[in-house]
Each structure stands twice: as structure tokens, then as C-alpha cells.
Amino acid sequence: MVCDNERPLCKKCRDSGRECSYERETVFIIGTIEDGGRCSSHPPRVVKSSKKGKSSSRADGDRLELAPTEPLQPAWDDLVSVSNRGKGQHQIQIAAVHTNLQGIVRGPAGAWSGDDDDDGEGDEGGGGSGSGGGSSSITSSSNKFSFLHLPAYRTPDVQPFMSQDDFQLKSQAAVHLAPQEDSQPDTMSATADSICLFLYEHNHSVFSSNQAPWRDPSIQNNMICAALLNRTPIFLANPEWMATPWELHPKTFFDRLLDILVSLPAVLARSDRILSQGQTMGRRLMAQDLLINCLNIERQLDEWYTAATHQPGAFWVQDPLDAAAAAAAAAGGVGGTAASSSSPPPPVIVDNIPFCDMYGFRDSVTAIMFIYYWMALVLFYPCIERLYWAMFEPVVDEPMTHAIPVLPAHLQQVNPARYSAKEVRELAVHICRSLDFALSATVQPDMLVAPLFIARQFFEQAAAVAAAGDLLLHHDNLVLADNRLELMWCDGFRARLQAKGQDLLDVVQTRRWQDLASY
């Protein structure tokens, strides 16, 4: 039988009930715009263009695989040593700025407006831009990009956020690697021009129905500050959150301090609940029990402070003459101009009135560490004082039998003057005397917003007390001062902080970046 070559099956085979067995595969004839209308009955040939292969090879070369080098460094260090795919080492400066991620406009590296091509390679590809914190793709054969527009810096709002919403933090991480000398590819980069940048935004709720992932690097500090201001317990006080993230990295004094501070929001919340109740014997006993817990936490903070101040050159009172001589060389940004943790920057001279000599610190991390210690005590000491005096308030349910409480021996030794408004004011002054050095040294200025807010809030409340003439509650002349100069200083520092944040964003727009991660 002769095949009639009918497709897809031979008609003679179908009519005779035979199985038709063409060896050739079925081919669909397709004409496309790329083929110019040409059609073919053969399967299309897959041909890899050399240009595409070159672009793919270059993309692999640009791919980042950053890994910390041994020995591992604490996460709070301003400069961290990393290697990219095991080739050479970079000293990366960690910078973080709060911003509106939806207002970011990104473009390809070709749109970069710097003075020169900092990595010695040209970038192929056309234009195109995206917005929304890096959510849009970049139309370029290179994975490098630039920030075409960043929203103007505004200090984060840290007003207490009374809501049942979950704590939400979004972050975009990008890295700028400074070029290394071709003759020494395996040596450490001599400058600190390499930057790891975190652009983030978050609300100030402290509730979390679904706990945040371990990988988020910004959650600890932001949630602790929000919890202290909201006086609400947080899950970071759970033991696993104080242990698991540091299985491979060493803990610093700052980390140990934060381990203590995470317990304070629960204490403040419990204190508010107890003191809002009526003056009963049950309230007195609960206040006594919580006061014992507070004194235990205070003992831990005292031990931490003693150990931290025994470190060489932890902090000192700056000499105004030395500070004036060094003011012109003060550090002021990222990318090789800001100080490292091993080389503290010169102090910055500002109008120090009404505060006397300002503090200097070993480095930026030490400055922020002590600022957070004093910030916590500004909130903690009034809580202890109120609990102490609550034990001596008359009770209505047993007025005759327990007019004067019988206290344990260790509570009888408590000196309430240690927690008075005068002492709290000194703590607020310590914060203000430290802020300018910290601002000049750090590239994470947002960490200073909460301490500034708490110090200013104390001065504002003290000014209100002085205006009301409440002599029975606050009889100390230092507390009864109107605090106008202190409030003016705080407002002036806030303006300096905002200028520092804007300077950082201006530097960011002069660099080319590669995406690292998003949270």
C-alpha cells in the first residue's frame, strides 16, 4: 500500500484499519514579527547569541555573595569586614535611615550623576525607572542602580501609638562596594567607602500576632523604643530572642544592656495597672511585690554600668578648647568621612547653653549605649518612686490595723530621694550632653530620636509643673525652673539631627548600588 502522505494520519491507513506510523514529529508552521513573516515547517533552531552570553556572564560577575570574615564582629560595629564570593575583603560601613519607601525613585546605573565611574566598568542598557522602595525592575543589563529621588529626611515620629495593629517594619538593603586595586585584589580595602545601606519605615505599635522573622536586623532597637514609649510588653523579652540571634556573633555591652531593657516595658505596664486601682491592701501588696522586682532590675543596670564604665576611655567631659580646635575636622557623613568604631571623630561645637561641658565617648556605639541607659532610667526611676510611696498610702479596707506598712528589711533601706525628680533631671541632662557627640559620630541618626523625645518630654512636664506652681509635688528649685532654655536646646538639636539625616541621603544619591535584601 502506497502512503498518500496525508497529515496528521495517512487516509489509506485509516480506511484499512492499519496503524499509521510517521517517524517525523508534528511541526506547526508559525510566522512571527521577529521572523519578518517568514514561515518554516521545521522546528526552530535554538541559537544562543554571543551578546546574550556576554550579558549573562557579566551578570554573574556582578552578583553579590557577601559573607562576614573571621573573626565575626558585633552587629553594632560601624565598620564590618566582609568578602564578596571569597575574593578580597571590604570594610563596609553600616548606615540606616528612616524614609518613605513608596517615595523612592530608582533608575539604572547609567543615570548615576557622580563625577566618574567608580568601579571602572561601563554599564550597558537603556533607561527606565521604578518606585516603591525597589519593587520595580531596572531595565539595564547590569544589576547596579542609582537613587534618582529620595524623599526629604524627616525625623521619625515616636509619639506613643495606642493601637492593636501589628508592629510592621519594611526595609530595603543595598550595598555600594568601593573598587579595589587590581594589583592587590585579596587585600583589605583601605577606605571605608563601601556602604551597606538600610532604608526602612515602620509604625510604632508593639503588638505582634505573628512574630517577625529572625533575619530582620532592625526589629530589636525599634521595637524596644516603641515598647518603652507605649509601656507595653513585647515578645523580645522571651529567652530565645535574647539567645538565638547571637549563637555565632559575640554580644557587646550594648546587647547586654538591651537584654535588660526589654523587661522594662512589662514593668511599666504593670505599674500603671496597679497604681490606677483604689487604695486597698491588695494594691499595697502588689506595689510592694513589683517594687522588689524593680530593685532587682535596677541592680542589674547598676552592675552593667559599673562594668561598662570600667572599659578604657568609655566617656569623659570634653575640654572646650580642644573641641574648638577640632571642630573644623569633624566627621559628617558616610563613605569614608564618618568615623569608624576604632577611630572616634572630633567633637562638634554647638551652643551648649544651658548645659555645661559636653561628653565625649570612645566611639559612636559607646555614646548611643550610654544614652539608652540614661533614657531608660528617665522612665524607670519615676516608676520606682511612685511604687515606693504607694506602699505608705492609707488603705480603705483595713484603715486601723495596717495604717503603717511593715516592710521587709531590704525595702526599709530604700532611699526614695535616689528616684526624685531632681535625679531624673540629671539623667535627662546626661542625655543632652551626649547627643551632639553621638550625632557627629553615627551614620544611624534615627537611633537618637527616642532619647531626644524622652528628654524633651521630661523638660516639658517639668515646665508645666513650674507654671502650675505645684510646690507640694516638686519642691526642688532645679525642677521648678521653667526649662525654656532646655526646650530650646532640644528643638535646636532636632534641627541638627534632621540636617544630618538629609546629608546622609544626599551622599546616598551620589553612589551606585546593588540590591542586597528586602525585609
Side-chain angles (χ1 to χ4, degrees), residues 85-114:
R85 292 180 292 160
K87 298 179 180 178
Q89 297 183 24
H90 296 268
Q91 285 279 77
I92 288 188
Q93 192 172 30
I94 308 297
V97 184
H98 183 278
T99 189
N100 177 17
L101 296 181
Q102 296 299 321
I104 296 176
V105 179
R106 296 167 43 156
W112 180 64
S113 58

Side-chain angles (χ1 to χ4, degrees), residues 17 84 118 131 158 187 207 264 304 358 439 447:
N84 184 20
D118 60 354
S131 63
V158 294
T187 59
F207 297 97
L264 290 184
W304 176 90
M358 309 300 274
L439 182 64
M447 295 187 68

Side-chain angles (χ1 to χ4, degrees), residues 351 353 355 432 436 485-493 496:
D351 187 3
I353 299 175
F355 305 113
C432 295
D436 274 305
L485 291 178
E486 287 82 355
L487 293 174
M488 291 174 59
W489 186 95
C490 291
D491 293 339
F493 179 81
R496 295 195 293 276

